[in-house]
């Protein structure tokens, strides 16, 4: 049992079980660089405001730099009895610089310190994730450009519905991941608020300069209420919400790749480098990567639910429960980054089977809506056209033929408004190109959407 930094009022030492139970060092040690960055800024502010003198500040800053190097090199000793990363750094600082180390915590509490560290960490990781999403969105856009002439069936209820361009389908995912990026960027504004100086809960009696600290650490704002600043984990929850939505998008993409790489669909083939074999069935090439991406969404949603549940009904201000936010947060950040990375590497190495996709558009009555639209063009009300085409579909199914394979005479038996021009309308190409309303799959629309996406990405990289 070591002497605790808060040990002054205690007559008895901490039980070993309590030390083990309350310690968070195994989890929060990865905040070390942010903890030290925050402490250095705090020292500089304390000197600037003459709360400590320049010489003391310089000693502290040098010691903190040395600790950072020790941790980076794996030379640092971690110990449960020191609870968390904040205590570890302070304890080691005392060993290095002596009793001046005891001034570091002036005008500060671990409550505002951990809020600061978490914000610095999450701001940094948000930027990394935004960068990763930018790369993934670029991959999608590049694939769309390379496959502008590929057509596949679009589905509703997983039933073939209408033909669409593969580029249109890929750009749907571009839209999803762009919304995720926008949500992250928006949430970043609420992460980018500097809580230090709130101290334990009520603020501090020292003449600190919070704006000075915020400027040193590059924060856009300073928190306005000390109670809220140490009690707030909205920014964690918000991030996890955004991460969950993003993971849902990954899971939908992954599910399609699992389906599409099956023999039943045969729309894509994963590269050998991104598939795995079976230990018993030599013929197997399994889509384990998309499956794992699909599977990992559970843990990220779990992280969101965990932190929501931890925060629910906590009285103001700081409560130790809040220490439980970090494991789920770190795990969600890691999972999201891993998925962004592996999917960005996998997609460009996949082969799209354009022939199989096109073949799949040729059966299943995909032209039924277009035949109805054609009849509307000839003056029928849509519901009447729908009814008429429904009868034609039933008949063609009985025959084992597609609508476009019926003769003009056969088609005319369902409506005398049908003439020779119908066969033009029933080609897959026409079904695509006639969908010209903004946002539809006509190639002119898709090319314009692609150009917009490319311009957006160029702007984001080089604002
Ligand atoms: N390890 C703690 C956490 O992560 C730091 C704050 C502890 N504050 C306290 N008064 N016990 O939340």
């Amino acid at each position: 049992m070591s002497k605790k930094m808060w040990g002054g009022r205690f007559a008895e030492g901490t039980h070993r079980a309590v030390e083990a139970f309350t310690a968070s060092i195994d989890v929060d040690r990865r905040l070390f660089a942010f903890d030290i960055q925050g402490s250095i800024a705090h020292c500089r502010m304390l000197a600037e405001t003459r709360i400590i003198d320049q010489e003391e500040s310089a000693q502290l800053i040098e010691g903190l730099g040395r600790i950072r190097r020790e941790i980076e090199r794996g030379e640092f000793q971690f110990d449960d009895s020191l609870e968390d990363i904040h205590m570890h750094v302070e304890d080691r600082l005392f060993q290095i610089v002596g009793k001046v180390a005891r001034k570091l915590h002036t005008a500060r509490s671990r409550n505002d310190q951990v809020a600061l560290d978490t914000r610095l960490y999450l701001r940094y990781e948000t930027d990394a994730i935004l960068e990763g999403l930018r790369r993934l969105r670029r991959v999608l856009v590049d694939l769309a450009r390379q496959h502008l002439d590929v057509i596949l069936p679009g589905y509703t209820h997983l039933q073939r519905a209408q033909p669409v361009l593969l580029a249109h389908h890929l750009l749907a995912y571009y839209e999803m991941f762009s919304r995720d990026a926008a949500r992250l960027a928006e949430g970043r504004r609420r992460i980018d608020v500097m809580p230090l100086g709130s101290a334990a809960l009520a603020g501090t009696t020292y003449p600190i300069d919070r704006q000075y600290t915020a400027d040193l650490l590059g924060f856009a704002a300073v928190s306005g209420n000390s109670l809220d600043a140490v009690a707030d984990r909205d920014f964690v929850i918000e991030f996890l919400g955004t991460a969950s939505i993003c993971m849902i998008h990954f899971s939908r993409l992954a599910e399609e790749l699992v389906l599409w790489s099956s023999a039943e669909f045969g729309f894509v083939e994963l590269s050998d480098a991104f598939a795995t074999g079976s230990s018993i069935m030599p013929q197997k090439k399994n889509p384990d990567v998309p499956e794992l991406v699909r599977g990992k969404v559970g843990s990220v949603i779990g992280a969101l639910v965990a932190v929501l549940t931890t925060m629910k009904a906590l009285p103001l201000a700081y409560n130790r429960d809040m220490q439980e936010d970090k494991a789920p947060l770190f795990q969600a950040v890691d999972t999201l980054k891993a998925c962004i990375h592996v999917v960005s590497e996998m997609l460009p190495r996949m082969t799209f089977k354009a022939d199989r996709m096109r073949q799949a558009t040729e059966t299943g009555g995909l032209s039924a809506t277009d035949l109805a639209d054609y009849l509307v063009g000839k003056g029928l009300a849509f519901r009447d056209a729908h009814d008429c085409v429904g009868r034609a579909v039933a008949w063609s199914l009985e025959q084992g033929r597609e609508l476009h394979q019926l003769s003009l005479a056969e088609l005319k038996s369902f409506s005398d408004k049908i003439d020779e021009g119908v066969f033009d309308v029933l080609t897959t190409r026409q079904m695509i190109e006639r969908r010209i309303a903004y946002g539809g799959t006509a190639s002119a629309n898709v090319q314009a959407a692609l150009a917009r996406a490319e311009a957006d990405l160029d702007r984001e990289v080089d604002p």
Side-chain angles (χ1 to χ4, degrees), residues 277-435:
S278 159
S279 54
I280 176 168
M281 297 166 284
Q283 85 283 11
K284 291 290 289 279
K285 178 166 171 182
N286 294 328
D288 294 40
V289 173
E291 287 173 290
L292 280 168
V293 168
R294 190 176 61 184
K296 282 177 190 290
V297 67
S299 72
V300 176
I301 294 173
L304 170 63
V305 174
V307 179
L308 280 170
T309 312
T310 292
M311 295 306 295
K312 174 185 174 291
L314 286 186
L316 296 185
Y318 177 81
N319 299 270
R320 192 64 179 270
D321 316 43
M322 291 158 66
Q323 178 167 292
E324 295 298 307
D325 65 348
K326 277 172 229 61
L329 176 61
F330 294 165
Q331 177 252 315
V333 165
D334 292 346
T335 302
L336 181 56
K337 284 169 77 179
C339 289
I340 292 172
H341 180 65
V342 78
V343 172
S344 301
E345 295 291 332
M346 177 177 63
L347 291 179
R349 293 178 174 82
M350 253 164 38
T351 313
F352 291 93
K353 305 288 197 54
D355 291 344
R356 278 295 295 252
M357 288 181 173
R358 173 172 264 288
Q359 274 164 24
T361 65
E362 278 154 18
T363 52
L366 272 67
S367 57
T369 315
D370 290 75
L371 181 55
D373 291 346
Y374 168 87
L375 288 170
V376 170
K378 298 283 183 193
L380 260 67
F382 182 76
R383 282 293 163 225
D384 298 327
H386 187 287
D387 190 58
C388 165
V389 176
R391 283 182 281 110
V393 167
W395 192 75
S396 71
L397 280 176
E398 241 168 65
Q399 303 273 309
R401 288 149 74 205
E402 292 294 318
L403 284 176
H404 65 267
Q405 292 167 335
L406 302 182
S407 68
L408 183 58
E410 286 169 315
L411 284 168
K412 269 184 174 304
S413 72
F414 296 98
S415 167
D416 55 12
K417 302 228 187 291
I418 296 177
D419 62 32
E420 195 58 48
V422 73
F423 294 107
D424 253 2
V425 171
L426 298 186
T427 65
T428 307
R429 185 39 80 180
Q430 276 307 303
M431 287 187 257
I432 299 269
E433 297 308 346
R434 282 157 46 89
R435 289 194 160 59

Side-chain angles (χ1 to χ4, degrees), residues 22 24 28 83-86 109-111 114 233 318-320 322-326:
T22 56
S24 56
D28 61 28
E83 281 189 37
D84 56 25
I85 187 63
H86 325 300
S109 153
R110 276 188 294 156
N111 298 350
V114 72
R233 294 294 182 273
Y318 177 81
N319 299 270
R320 192 64 179 270
M322 291 158 66
Q323 178 167 292
E324 295 298 307
D325 65 348
K326 277 172 229 61

Side-chain angles (χ1 to χ4, degrees), residues 35-47:
D35 194 69
I36 290 171
Q37 182 191 8
S39 287
I40 289 175
H42 184 61
C43 280
R44 287 178 60 183
M45 184 279 291
L46 290 176

Side-chain angles (χ1 to χ4, degrees), residues 24-39:
S24 56
I25 187 60
D26 284 347
V27 173
D28 61 28
R29 58 193 282 176
R30 70 192 259 178
L31 291 176
F32 79 90
F34 303 105
D35 194 69
I36 290 171
Q37 182 191 8
S39 287

